[in-house]
Amino acid sequence: MPDLLADAFERIQSEVDGAFDAFLPVPQDTRARLVEAMRYAAIGGGKRVRPLLVCATAQLFGVTRQAAVNAGCAVEAIHAYSLIHDDLPCMDDDDLRHGKPTLHKQFDEATAVLAGDCLHALAFDILTMPDTSNDPFVRAELVAALAKASGHEGMAGGQMMDIVSDEQNYDLRQVTRLQQLKTGALLAASVEMGAILGRIPPEGRTHLRAYARDIGLAFQIADDLLDVEGDEEKAGKALRKDEGQGKQTFVTLMGRDAARAQAEMLVEQAGQHLASHGSDAALLVELARFVVKRDH
Amino acid sequence: MPDLLADAFERIQSEVDGAFDAFLPVPQDTRARLVEAMRYAAIGGGKRVRPLLVCATAQLFGVTRQAAVNAGCAVEAIHAYSLIHDDLPCMDDDDLRHGKPTLHKQFDEATAVLAGDCLHALAFDILTMPDTSNDPFVRAELVAALAKASGHEGMAGGQMMDIVSDEQNYDLRQVTRLQQLKTGALLAASVEMGAILGRIPPEGRTHLRAYARDIGLAFQIADDLLDVEGDEEKAGKALRKDEGQGKQTFVTLMGRDAARAQAEMLVEQAGQHLASHGSDAALLVELARFVVKRDH
């Protein structure tokens, strides 16, 4: 990983941890357990790809760091809640996440459902804070983008398509659509929110949306490859799950080599969409490359 | 129930059902099951007390009906998601809600978790629609009020206090605090959002907040009485649950007679807070009375 990207990850990880620590003081009453659970899920885990996407995009448009980190935390709170709920016994029934016991294992299922719900609400709470933006129009736009990307028309809708995929025999078009919703929508929202903070109107975001669409798909292809080839210890979660469930993925539908070639093509293309920004977009270009090279 | 209130309930029930029907077209793909589940929970059930509170408050300030109904649907979407998650086996494990099988009984647990999450996101999506308000400041304020009221500092925090109440021996002060969060916060947000739509600044909302606080507590005392004295068929849900769990409630801590007297005192007081609005507040006053008289 080049220094530019390694430094950027280190910085955002520390900023996001610090922000969640400040957002989530533990109350002196019986809600303490709930807030402890939220902190367990939100602090000290995950690569923070989504907050970095928000910040790297916002940086193109001279947005203050504080605003971008806050918006990044909102996306990350949505991502964290979705992982908690996805890991539940009635969903994927996973025991391990970011190398630690999943939330319902460490606490209990009821606390996991509630802590997820509270991180969900926290995301929108953060977006309406004055230090996220002092312009209410920007705040309302951020909320609209994140609500749309996370609900039934986005991430959660994709999760539903994934759940029923055992009974379906999805083709490549359908798997692509599923992943565009399940993973792509929130990655795209991250980029979109960086542009919203920069007061870029929708028609000025076309190339950013194209970048986001490409890295979203590349990300998921890489995830499918990782499920087949990855190291469980580095990944910090259970792998080889797709095969066990007989699930259609980019790898089963395309084969490993074609999948890898496709991911690399998408990353190349993603970088080209940002050509007009020149070297200002170096971090976003590196981030696109990282998405397919990561081993966890 | 006087005609004024009966007519208002009939109208809001039909408006909320119509709005959710329009918000939730069933997609032609494998997300259909998810959206069907959202519709099952959101359409044709519940008294719609919260949307009526939004509309009755908004009406004091000349807000358009469409805006008030939309904001009411957002609160109701939060309420609906919380019921779905509360009913889950790992939470209250209930089989019956609004006289129908609970969502996880009718569909399955994974769908219930996701449908709840999607109604949660839909709430914020609705609040950012231009026909909820064409003023982004109002939209952002609505989001802030609802996010705060529903997260760990509000409804979900109260739910956590309720979950751990078996191990605790709450006194009256603690039960009051729990209920102010669990039930009161969302009722208060309903009134607050009506005032936000009316562009009433925070300092002009004090009497409305006082009204909301009083009816919130009265509502919960009535709920505790209903749990002891009510008819399961009319209630459309399981009753006598508090007793079985050895839980402290207003009824166990105060006794039935004192609890009933307290609820009636609160309703009286709630009405007095609105004296300055004269007969314009008749619907809110009737609604306060209904809260303690309802048999379901």
Side-chain angles (χ1 to χ4, degrees):
Chain A
M1 194 156 53
D3 282 351
L4 174 69
L5 191 61
D7 291 350
F9 268 122
E10 202 175 316
R11 181 177 177 199
I12 192 72
Q13 283 159 5
S14 141
E15 287 168 323
V16 168
D17 282 350
F20 278 124
D21 182 50
F23 292 141
L24 294 170
V26 180
Q28 297 296 313
D29 60 33
T30 46
R31 287 172 303 152
R33 181 183 177 80
L34 175 63
V35 179
E36 293 286 8
M38 294 170 76
R39 294 175 62 92
Y40 181 80
I43 299 174
K47 295 177 293 288
R48 313 302 193 186
V49 167
R50 290 157 194 81
L52 186 51
L53 271 174
V54 177
C55 288
T57 308
Q59 174 180 304
L60 292 176
F61 308 113
V63 174
T64 67
R65 187 74 186 181
Q66 159 98 66
V69 169
N70 271 22
C73 284
V75 185
E76 197 68 2
I78 293 286
H79 178 57
Y81 111 66
S82 79
L83 296 180
I84 297 172
H85 284 184
D86 285 359
D87 287 339
L88 285 170
C90 69
M91 305 274 276
D92 291 350
D93 195 13
D94 274 310
D95 295 346
L96 207 60
R97 172 68 67 184
H98 301 142
K100 301 189 296 188
T102 47
L103 200 135
H104 66 274
K105 283 279 166 189
Q106 182 73 19
F107 292 82
D108 58 82
E109 279 185 55
T111 303
V113 171
L114 275 179
D117 291 341
C118 288
L119 285 168
H120 195 166
L122 179 66
F124 295 105
D125 192 13
I126 293 171
L127 290 183
T128 57
M129 290 177 183
D131 62 7
T132 299
S133 170
N134 53 21
D135 180 346
F137 184 77
V138 168
R139 299 206 293 270
E141 281 257 290
L142 292 171
V143 170
L146 192 57
K148 200 64 93 182
S150 60
H152 68 284
E153 297 178 288
M155 178 189 78
Q159 174 66 6
M160 187 73 206
M161 294 176 82
D162 200 14
I163 288 177
V164 299
S165 67
D166 305 350
E167 310 150 25
Q168 308 283 329
N169 224 337
Y170 287 143
D171 59 22
L172 193 56
R173 194 188 57 80
Q174 289 165 312
V175 167
T176 303
R177 171 81 179 136
L178 182 169
Q179 298 300 354
Q180 272 172 340
L181 294 176
K182 190 183 169 192
T183 319
L186 211 54
L187 293 169
S190 306
V191 172
E192 194 97 30
M193 288 164 74
I196 291 169
L197 284 170
R199 293 159 201 264
I200 306 302
E203 60 275 19
R205 300 178 207 155
T206 316
H207 65 299
L208 294 167
R209 263 197 296 269
Y211 164 85
R213 196 168 46 239
D214 289 341
I215 67 161
L217 273 184
F219 188 95
Q220 192 55 45
I221 295 174
D223 223 50
D224 289 351
L225 283 163
L226 206 58
D227 189 76
V228 180
E229 302 174 344
D231 179 317
E232 293 210 350
E233 204 164 321
K234 276 191 191 154
K237 62 178 178 181
L239 297 176
R240 324 275 179 268
K241 287 174 25 181
D242 298 338
E243 202 184 315
Q245 295 167 359
K247 222 155 107 170
Q248 299 297 356
T249 72
F250 290 112
V251 173
T252 61
L253 289 165
M254 302 173 77
R256 287 194 208 184
D257 293 343
R260 190 172 296 104
Q262 175 75 3
E264 278 161 15
M265 186 279 287
L266 286 165
V267 164
E268 188 63 31
Q269 185 175 295
Q272 286 161 8
H273 290 305
L274 303 179
S276 64
H277 293 285
S279 63
D280 289 350
L283 184 55
L284 285 171
V285 172
E286 286 304 329
L287 194 48
R289 288 195 191 124
F290 167 77
V291 151
V292 296
K293 299 273 186 240
R294 72 203 158 91
D295 57 6
H296 64 285
Chain B
M1 194 155 53
D3 282 352
L4 174 70
L5 191 60
D7 291 351
F9 267 121
E10 201 176 318
R11 181 177 178 198
I12 192 73
Q13 283 160 5
S14 141
E15 286 168 324
V16 168
D17 281 350
F20 277 124
D21 181 52
F23 292 142
L24 294 170
V26 180
Q28 297 297 312
D29 58 34
T30 46
R31 288 172 304 152
R33 180 183 177 81
L34 176 63
V35 179
E36 293 285 8
M38 293 171 75
R39 294 175 62 91
Y40 181 80
I43 298 173
K47 293 178 294 290
R48 313 301 193 187
V49 167
R50 291 157 194 80
L52 186 52
L53 270 174
V54 178
C55 288
T57 307
Q59 176 179 305
L60 292 177
F61 309 113
V63 174
T64 67
R65 187 75 185 180
Q66 159 100 64
V69 169
N70 271 22
C73 283
V75 185
E76 197 68 1
I78 293 285
H79 178 57
Y81 111 67
S82 78
L83 296 180
I84 296 173
H85 285 183
D86 285 0
D87 286 339
L88 285 169
C90 69
M91 304 275 276
D92 290 350
D93 195 13
D94 274 310
D95 296 346
L96 207 61
R97 171 68 67 184
H98 299 143
K100 302 190 295 189
T102 47
L103 200 137
H104 65 275
K105 284 280 167 186
Q106 182 73 17
F107 292 82
D108 58 82
E109 278 185 55
T111 304
V113 171
L114 274 178
D117 291 341
C118 289
L119 285 168
H120 194 165
L122 178 66
F124 295 105
D125 193 12
I126 293 171
L127 290 183
T128 57
M129 291 176 181
D131 63 7
T132 300
S133 171
N134 53 20
D135 179 347
F137 184 76
V138 167
R139 299 206 292 270
E141 280 257 290
L142 291 171
V143 170
L146 192 56
K148 200 64 94 181
S150 59
H152 68 286
E153 297 178 289
M155 177 189 79
Q159 175 65 5
M160 188 72 203
M161 294 176 82
D162 199 15
I163 287 177
V164 298
S165 68
D166 305 350
E167 310 151 25
Q168 309 283 329
N169 224 336
Y170 287 143
D171 57 21
L172 193 57
R173 195 187 56 80
Q174 289 165 311
V175 167
T176 303
R177 172 80 179 135
L178 182 170
Q179 298 300 353
Q180 272 172 340
L181 295 175
K182 189 182 169 195
T183 319
L186 211 55
L187 293 168
S190 306
V191 172
E192 195 97 29
M193 288 164 73
I196 290 169
L197 285 170
R199 292 159 202 264
I200 306 302
E203 60 275 19
R205 301 178 206 154
T206 316
H207 66 299
L208 293 167
R209 263 198 295 270
Y211 164 85
R213 196 167 47 239
D214 289 341
I215 66 161
L217 274 183
F219 188 94
Q220 192 54 45
I221 295 174
D223 225 50
D224 289 351
L225 282 164
L226 206 58
D227 189 78
V228 180
E229 303 175 344
D231 180 316
E232 292 209 350
E233 203 165 318
K234 276 191 191 156
K237 62 179 179 182
L239 297 177
R240 324 274 179 267
K241 289 174 24 183
D242 298 338
E243 202 184 316
Q245 295 168 0
K247 223 156 105 173
Q248 299 297 356
T249 71
F250 289 112
V251 173
T252 62
L253 289 166
M254 302 173 77
R256 287 194 207 184
D257 293 343
R260 190 171 298 106
Q262 174 76 1
E264 279 162 13
M265 187 279 289
L266 285 165
V267 164
E268 188 62 29
Q269 187 175 292
Q272 286 161 9
H273 289 306
L274 303 179
S276 65
H277 293 285
S279 62
D280 289 351
L283 183 54
L284 285 172
V285 171
E286 287 303 330
L287 193 48
R289 287 195 192 125
F290 166 77
V291 151
V292 295
K293 300 271 186 242
R294 72 204 158 93
D295 57 5
H296 64 285

